[in-house]
Amino acid sequence: MITIKVDAKDTEGTVRQIQQELGGQIMERWGEYTLNIDNEKAKGNIKFITFDWGVSLLEYDLTFYEEVTLIMDASQFNPIHFAYCLEGYCAHKFGYQSDEEIKILEQYQSVIITSREGGFNYGYFPKDLKLRINVIQVSRKPFVRKRLNQGEELNKQLYRVFLDTDHEKVFAYFGTYNLKLADQIAALSAVKGKGMIRIMQIQGLVYQILSMHMLQHNREVQNKPLPTTLLRRELKIIRNCAKAIEKNYSTLYTLESLSLETGLTQAKLQEGFKLLYSQTVTEYIRNVRLDVARDMIANTELSISEIVYSIGFSSRSYFSKIFKEKYNISPSEFKKSKLNLAGVA
């Protein structure tokens, strides 16, 4: 068992105190810090970025080789934690009394936690299990000053937590699963920009993720659960199905073949795609192919006809029609504009 005590004043101090116990090296680039660990205690990394509007992003991508207890003293740094578990699970309790309830943060679950001033948060992490946990930490005073100008859009309970800048109350919300959050958080790893552009792109995604946490809390407090009868297991199957379509976009999919492949009825597939992606299965496949085609037109020397047939379409005229509907430009005009930008006559 490894016990890590944290009494830092900010996110950077928290990670550095974790480093003191787990070892590893911290690297910094354009304000994005990464603690890389590869030893007998753990393997993986912890990343963090602190923004000037009272928010920091903290991401765990680790496997611990011993059970870990993280004891966080809230005397100096007591943000609101918006946590989401992409992989694995962990647990939390407040440290006021020995019999405080331990609650599990499960995969794909949204959790909002804050302690009272002088209190403690206990985090429990299992061994030999890969963990991917995304935490957005909100320091109330700077956030309220710079961002919380639409407080009436939050439910009253959460709004009071933001305005409790003296940290007099505790707050814990363990929500239902939310796969839309998983996709949004996964987009953080796909950011390809460099330097300040990269930080700005990540900041935009963090703002969206934070909004989604708040909107889910607001919906559930108002007794408006996810509008679906699908089980979490079934939604995970649908999400994996969508990822497979993205990788194998040229496959001639049908709703019937996908139903047989996933073991879900056609009705459940349609319901799941509409819930997660706001599209029917056919619309999702078509849009994936159109996005691939746009990238191929811009970045390869293939003719438009070659691209059309390589991505699974059988009609160039149909492809041209739906391409223009989506991007407001025909494929040939798009190709010509890219050639002109490249200096090709």
Side-chain angles (χ1 to χ4, degrees), residues 83-91 103-111 129-134 174-182 185 216 231-233 235-237 239-240 243:
Y84 187 86
C85 184
L86 280 166
E87 193 169 347
Y89 69 90
C90 61
K103 292 188 174 182
I104 304 297
L105 168 55
E106 297 180 352
Q107 186 179 29
Y108 303 133
Q109 188 176 21
S110 169
V111 170
L129 179 69
K130 183 173 174 59
L131 299 173
R132 291 178 61 207
I133 301 169
N134 176 282
F174 283 69
T176 58
Y177 56 89
N178 185 333
L179 285 172
K180 287 186 176 181
L181 259 172
I185 291 170
Q216 176 172 344
L231 302 174
R232 176 167 54 178
R233 174 185 60 81
L235 286 171
K236 288 170 68 175
I237 291 172
R239 184 166 177 257
N240 289 336
K243 288 183 175 181

Side-chain angles (χ1 to χ4, degrees), residues 34-227:
T34 302
L35 169 60
N36 292 301
I37 306 169
D38 187 359
N39 56 37
E40 72 283 356
K41 294 181 178 179
K43 182 175 182 178
N45 62 70
I46 301 173
K47 296 182 178 181
F48 70 92
I49 303 174
T50 300
F51 304 104
D52 63 1
W53 41 290
V55 167
S56 59
L57 170 66
L58 180 62
E59 295 183 292
Y60 296 86
D61 187 349
L62 281 171
T63 300
F64 294 109
Y65 297 134
E66 297 183 46
E67 291 182 354
V68 172
T69 299
L70 184 63
I71 305 174
M72 294 162 281
D73 184 340
S75 299
Q76 299 189 77
F77 182 49
N78 186 24
I80 305 173
H81 304 268
F82 292 80
Y84 187 86
C85 184
L86 280 166
E87 193 169 347
Y89 69 90
C90 61
H92 170 273
K93 78 167 185 175
F94 293 112
Y96 306 111
Q97 300 176 14
S98 59
D99 60 349
E100 286 283 342
E101 181 183 4
I102 296 176
K103 292 188 174 182
I104 304 297
L105 168 55
E106 297 180 352
Q107 186 179 29
Y108 303 133
Q109 188 176 21
S110 169
V111 170
I112 307 172
I113 294 170
T114 189
S115 181
R116 71 167 65 104
E117 185 174 357
F120 289 84
N121 289 296
Y122 283 70
Y124 301 96
F125 303 93
K127 68 175 182 178
D128 299 329
L129 179 69
K130 183 173 174 59
L131 299 173
R132 291 178 61 207
I133 301 169
N134 176 282
V135 184
I136 297 175
Q137 297 178 320
V138 178
S139 297
R140 278 165 274 202
K141 287 184 180 179
F143 185 84
V144 167
R145 185 169 60 249
K146 293 194 174 186
R147 288 291 190 269
L148 195 59
N149 53 12
Q150 299 292 327
E152 68 277 5
E153 295 182 5
L154 298 173
N155 65 74
K156 292 180 180 179
Q157 186 181 19
L158 186 53
Y159 188 42
R160 284 196 295 268
V161 173
F162 274 97
L163 294 185
D164 178 25
T165 54
D166 292 326
H167 304 183
E168 295 176 349
K169 303 178 179 67
V170 299
F171 180 85
Y173 154 76
F174 283 69
T176 58
Y177 56 89
N178 185 333
L179 285 172
K180 287 186 176 181
L181 259 172
D183 289 330
Q184 195 68 37
I185 291 170
L188 288 167
S189 300
V191 172
K192 301 299 183 184
K194 296 181 180 180
M196 189 53 63
I197 292 176
R198 173 180 173 81
I199 299 302
M200 291 173 68
Q201 290 174 327
I202 291 174
Q203 182 172 229
L205 287 169
V206 166
Y207 204 82
Q208 292 179 48
I209 294 164
L210 183 58
S211 298
M212 291 174 73
H213 275 290
M214 294 181 184
L215 288 171
Q216 176 172 344
H217 178 262
N218 191 47
R219 184 187 66 242
E220 293 189 4
V221 167
Q222 295 176 4
N223 294 317
K224 296 179 181 179
L226 284 171

Side-chain angles (χ1 to χ4, degrees), residues 270 274 278-288 290:
Q270 293 286 31
K274 287 178 181 177
S278 302
Q279 301 173 72
T280 65
V281 174
T282 300
E283 289 169 341
Y284 185 85
I285 295 168
R286 184 173 65 219
N287 283 312
V288 165
L290 287 172

